[in-house]
Amino acid sequence: MHHRIYHPTVARLTYRGLLGRRRAAVLFTLPALLLVIAAAVRLLTGADDDTATKVLGGFALATMVPLIGVIAGTGAIGPEIDDGSVVYLLAKPVKRPTIILTKLLVATGVTAVFSAVPTLIAGLILNGNSQRIAVAYTIAAAVASVAYSALFLLLGTVTRHAVVAGLVYALIWESLFGSLVPGARTLSVQQWALSLAERIAAPGAVSSDVGLPVAVVLLAGVTVAATWYAGEKLRKLTLAGEE
Amino acid sequence: MSSVRIDNVSRWFGNVVAVNDVTMTIGPGVTGLLGPNGAGKSTLINMMGGFLAPSTGTVTLDGTVIWGNEEIYRHIGVVPEREAMYDFLTGLEFVRANAELHGLPDAAARRALATVEMEYAQDRKISTYSKGMRQRVKMASALVHDPSVLLLDEPFNGMDPRQRMQLMDLLRRMGAEGRSVLFSSHILEEVEQLAAHIEVVVAGRHAASGDFRKIRRLMTNRPHRYLVRSSDDRALAAALIADPSTSGIEVDVQEGALRVQAVDFGRFTTLLPAVARAHGIRLLTVSPSDESLESVFSYLVAA
């Protein structure tokens, strides 16, 4: 009966929960910060492709997208599991994968809207899409939104400390290890997304450590595996009660 | 009509055994699941509601295994103990969402809200509701699909007497309609008022099952112990021991009190003040020394 990948009611509950929480402030603050930086840089240094790459690559894709992914991905399911209200979703004849896929769609949508859209605007402010840098980073941000949402949604079903775990991954693994340990970059959503940006932008404007075929396979693989596992976790989720 | 059957079910968490080899059937009518806190009531209800897998044994609804089968929710309604329930929605939005998740129209939500008499507050945010109002909206969410089985975990917790009566009336009505209604409680009086049939669990074990009055009698006929302080303990002791309702008295010198064991609860409670008055003794303290539910239940288990 309810064999579908999207349930509008689950979606409504999810995005209203996401945008209604205090954490949602981060969703508005980070993009605003990006736009302020972009405007300030443009005013102070003028249009410059190299600077545009640094701002979009260093702040938008490396920091803003994963952080928004953490908020949207973990926030799409974690709080409901923590406070027990998920019971009202579970006590229904709705397939568990439907719940997870719907939540993934909402988390991805929210992450993309709050990260890809401001990335495009910031890129246009910085250099007016010269060398297709703005569009390249926008698409990278959108693609990274999918993988981050899947990963952090899974975290939300696995641990009560999903936000902290997500932040550790986003900041320490993606940013710190990625810049120190070359091998870590191969296992980085950011680098996979960058390899798409590399293909879209003018030659030499953007560079990634991962080849495009590997990047596409890893992005798809991580998204599918994380989503499948999150569905399994939800199917076997036990509510231990208060005793 | 449906029934939930628990068959040789045990559930443990690590080394802790929460439910120990329980077998029971919850059929049409109102059944009370009685037991002290921590006895395993919530664990049992969570297994019946499909939120917890039994470690061993089976939990079935009319022969169908409940765990891992979301189709059972077409027949089961669950009222959880926990408070959280999408507080950012209004009551109507919440119940409507529950109806939609069952594939039911708005009318089902409105009917359920009318059943629990919450229409007057249905457009207010749940975050502004009192405990009793929350409980009623939870009820409405469990009733939208007209389930044949209703599971309620400590539904009367934190309710005022009027709300309690309203909910009891509603549950009685549900039971009379042929639904299988199971509610858990650690309060004897609650169960007494609502359920003719009770299941008692103590420390994870199924301690008693059946007619409430029979089990209540077992409980009241057990020896009762009292701590009594008076203006003249020894004179009181002498007068009390002469009556057959008293089976033992100890003068506790350190405490400065009497420890009395009564075998006939009803007779002793009228005897004590009468004897005191007749001998001009003033009673300073009369307190039951083993009235905790745990001791009542332990007695039941031993019986």
Side-chain angles (χ1 to χ4, degrees):
Chain A
M1 269 262 207
H2 295 275
H3 236 119
R4 43 186 170 179
I5 65 163
Y6 177 79
H7 197 300
T9 309
V10 176
R12 200 172 68 238
L13 291 173
T14 304
Y15 77 69
R16 288 197 58 177
L18 256 181
L19 300 180
R21 274 174 237 278
R22 203 166 301 148
R23 282 177 205 167
V26 177
L27 297 177
F28 294 93
T29 315
L30 284 173
L33 186 61
L34 175 67
L35 296 182
V36 168
I37 291 172
V41 166
R42 176 68 191 258
L43 284 174
L44 295 174
T45 67
D48 177 61
D49 294 349
D50 203 36
T51 315
T53 310
K54 284 203 176 101
V55 173
L56 296 183
F59 180 69
L61 192 61
T63 309
M64 186 185 78
V65 182
L67 286 182
I68 288 181
V70 169
I71 300 299
T74 62
I77 197 159
E80 278 165 281
I81 293 180
D82 288 351
D83 71 16
S85 56
V86 74
V87 68
Y88 295 100
L89 289 186
L90 296 180
K92 300 292 183 297
V94 178
K95 296 270 174 217
R96 279 31 179 167
T98 305
I99 297 176
I100 285 294
L101 282 170
T102 302
K103 285 182 172 291
L104 175 65
L105 281 170
V106 172
T108 302
V110 167
T111 310
V113 165
F114 285 91
S115 66
V117 174
T119 299
L120 180 64
I121 299 171
L124 292 175
I125 293 174
L126 281 164
N127 73 349
N129 198 26
S130 159
Q131 298 197 68
R132 292 189 298 279
I133 288 174
V135 168
Y137 275 103
T138 300
I139 294 189
V143 170
S145 298
V146 182
Y148 282 133
S149 297
L151 273 176
F152 297 135
L153 190 67
L154 171 61
L155 265 187
T157 64
V158 171
T159 167
R160 279 178 161 264
H161 311 288
V163 173
V164 175
L167 287 178
V168 167
Y169 170 80
L171 297 178
I172 300 194
W173 181 265
E174 292 274 346
S175 303
L176 193 64
F177 274 90
S179 56
L180 297 177
V181 188
R185 272 177 240 167
T186 322
L187 293 177
S188 147
V189 173
Q190 183 196 332
Q191 291 296 328
W192 305 339
L194 264 179
S195 100
L196 260 133
E198 187 178 11
R199 172 63 64 92
I200 294 161
V206 179
S207 71
S208 165
D209 293 339
V210 187
L212 188 59
V214 176
V216 170
V217 169
L218 288 174
L219 275 169
V222 160
T223 304
V224 170
T227 307
W228 172 81
Y229 193 54
E232 283 300 292
K233 290 302 285 186
L234 194 64
R235 215 163 57 78
K236 300 202 179 105
L237 184 75
T238 59
L239 301 174
E242 317 257 293
E243 297 190 326
Chain B
M1 294 211 190
S2 297
S3 56
V4 176
R5 177 154 180 81
I6 297 178
D7 226 331
N8 294 107
V9 164
S10 298
R11 169 73 208 201
W12 48 85
F13 299 96
N15 287 329
V16 181
V17 179
V19 168
N20 192 344
D21 196 22
V22 168
T23 296
M24 60 172 78
T25 302
I26 310 300
V30 181
T31 302
L33 182 61
L34 181 65
N37 282 323
K41 301 188 298 294
S42 288
T43 305
L44 277 170
I45 287 194
N46 277 327
M47 287 191 287
M48 288 186 248
F51 304 122
L52 196 62
S55 301
T56 62
T58 54
V59 185
T60 51
L61 170 71
D62 298 331
T64 311
V65 170
I66 289 177
W67 173 244
N69 176 10
E70 62 268 356
E71 289 302 308
I72 58 132
Y73 297 114
R74 296 189 188 285
H75 312 287
I76 292 185
V78 182
V79 181
E81 184 183 6
R82 290 182 78 170
E83 285 285 290
M85 49 189 294
Y86 301 96
D87 287 16
F88 50 84
L89 299 178
T90 67
L92 178 58
E93 286 170 337
F94 176 72
V95 180
R96 189 185 280 150
N98 279 276
E100 287 170 7
L101 288 164
H102 278 290
L104 295 168
D106 188 50
R110 292 183 183 273
R111 182 183 50 77
L113 279 162
T115 306
V116 299
E117 292 164 39
M118 272 297 286
E119 291 150 304
Y120 76 98
Q122 67 184 17
D123 294 319
R124 272 169 54 189
K125 282 238 158 72
I126 292 175
S127 53
T128 69
Y129 283 1
S130 70
K131 179 115 188 176
M133 293 165 87
R134 278 174 177 271
Q135 200 65 32
R136 275 194 276 164
V137 168
K138 284 201 261 181
M139 266 300 273
S141 81
L143 291 177
V144 281
H145 58 307
D146 205 12
S148 53
V149 175
L150 196 57
L151 305 172
L152 307 100
D153 198 357
E154 294 279 355
F156 301 106
N157 257 1
M159 280 195 157
D160 66 38
R162 212 188 91 245
Q163 295 167 336
R164 203 173 291 225
M165 275 209 343
Q166 280 178 340
L167 183 58
M168 282 186 180
D169 281 344
L170 180 57
L171 293 183
R172 261 185 223 114
R173 220 156 63 220
M174 300 272 145
E177 286 168 9
R179 290 174 224 268
S180 303
V181 179
L182 176 79
F183 72 100
S184 69
S185 172
H186 59 280
I187 297 164
L188 211 56
E189 287 69 26
E190 266 174 21
V191 179
E192 182 167 28
Q193 286 172 50
L194 186 53
H197 186 92
I198 66 171
E199 303 289 343
V200 183
V201 286
V202 182
R205 287 175 180 280
H206 193 192
S209 167
D211 181 63
F212 184 87
R213 274 162 307 183
K214 229 169 65 195
I215 291 170
R216 176 84 210 208
R217 213 159 28 241
L218 267 174
M219 289 182 177
T220 43
N221 285 353
R222 81 206 155 89
H224 285 60
R225 291 183 182 79
Y226 293 92
L227 185 89
V228 180
R229 288 195 181 87
S230 69
S231 55
D232 188 345
D233 284 348
R234 279 177 193 280
L236 183 63
L240 285 176
I241 197 68
D243 191 273
S245 70
T246 309
S247 62
I249 297 188
E250 179 195 342
V251 182
D252 190 328
V253 181
Q254 268 178 339
E255 279 284 317
L258 293 177
R259 296 190 179 279
V260 185
Q261 182 164 324
V263 277
D264 186 335
F265 169 72
R267 181 163 169 173
F268 177 77
T269 48
T270 50
L271 171 80
L272 180 61
V275 164
R277 196 179 311 116
H279 289 77
I281 300 167
R282 274 184 57 208
L283 293 172
L284 305 174
T285 310
V286 180
S287 73
S289 52
D290 63 348
E291 280 299 281
S292 73
L293 257 190
E294 282 75 4
S295 67
V296 176
F297 287 126
S298 321
Y299 171 75
L300 257 189
V301 180

